[in-house]
Amino acid sequence: MVEWTEQERSIITSIFSNLDYEDVGPKALSRCLIVYPWTQRYFASFGNLYNADAIKTNPNIQAHGTRVLHGLDRAVKNMDNIKSTYAELSVLHSEKLHVDPDNFKLLADCLTIVIAAKMGSGFTPEMQATFQKFLAVVVSALGRQYH
């Protein structure tokens, strides 16, 4: 079980309370699909993904990026029980969608980059360390079904 300090809880809550989900979510997912093009295979039904501009303007990618980011709200609200919070999503991604669990880490890294760019110097090393810890717990929970 992961232990969270009150400061870490406060940092995570603060980061998410200031996010523009409709901006950050699509940018993070788009970045992941552009930087790591092999991840696109899971989005074949999303339409045109032929180049970076097509990915960035694809309404299905934008909607899914927003949905993914809102999905992280579940972890923020259940920081003491993230593994069980994502049990069903882990099964879905593993057994039905057959998503490579390494892709969760890639998306987490892209999300960190987008948030760091948005927050600028406000994204201190302490904030980054806490955010990375949070995302590592989420990634582990989503990959749990694979083990």
Side-chain angles (χ1 to χ4, degrees):
M1 184 168 131
V2 177
E3 298 290 328
W4 300 100
T5 67
E6 287 307 312
Q7 182 180 7
E8 288 172 329
R9 290 175 191 276
S10 176
I11 287 170
I12 294 301
T13 301
S14 173
I15 289 171
F16 280 89
S17 69
N18 292 308
L19 285 184
D20 178 351
Y21 286 68
E22 286 73 28
D23 180 50
V24 173
K27 283 181 177 172
L29 181 56
S30 292
R31 178 178 289 269
C32 187
L33 296 171
I34 294 164
V35 174
Y36 309 107
W38 59 89
T39 61
Q40 294 175 20
R41 71 185 183 129
Y42 303 105
F43 298 92
S45 66
F46 277 44
N48 184 357
L49 303 176
Y50 298 124
N51 58 45
D53 287 334
I55 291 169
K56 289 189 256 184
T57 59
N58 184 306
N60 293 317
I61 295 299
Q62 296 208 355
H64 192 67
T66 301
R67 186 176 312 114
V68 167
L69 197 54
H70 277 293
L72 288 176
D73 281 338
R74 295 173 60 196
V76 174
K77 293 173 184 165
N78 297 287
M79 287 181 69
D80 292 318
N81 206 0
I82 292 175
K83 284 187 181 177
S84 67
T85 298
Y86 287 117
E88 286 182 35
L89 270 178
S90 180
V91 170
L92 171 70
H93 285 84
S94 168
E95 296 178 9
K96 184 177 179 191
L97 301 175
H98 308 289
V99 174
D100 180 341
D102 288 340
N103 291 345
F104 301 133
K105 175 71 172 127
L106 298 176
L107 181 56
D109 289 347
C110 289
L111 180 58
T112 301
I113 291 166
V114 172
I115 289 175
K118 286 285 178 193
M119 293 182 69
S121 63
F123 195 64
T124 66
E126 295 81 12
M127 288 184 90
Q128 181 181 353
T130 300
F131 191 63
Q132 300 266 184
K133 176 181 174 181
F134 173 78
L135 290 177
V137 174
V138 170
V139 166
S140 175
L142 286 169
R144 188 171 186 191
Q145 183 64 29
Y146 295 84
H147 303 299

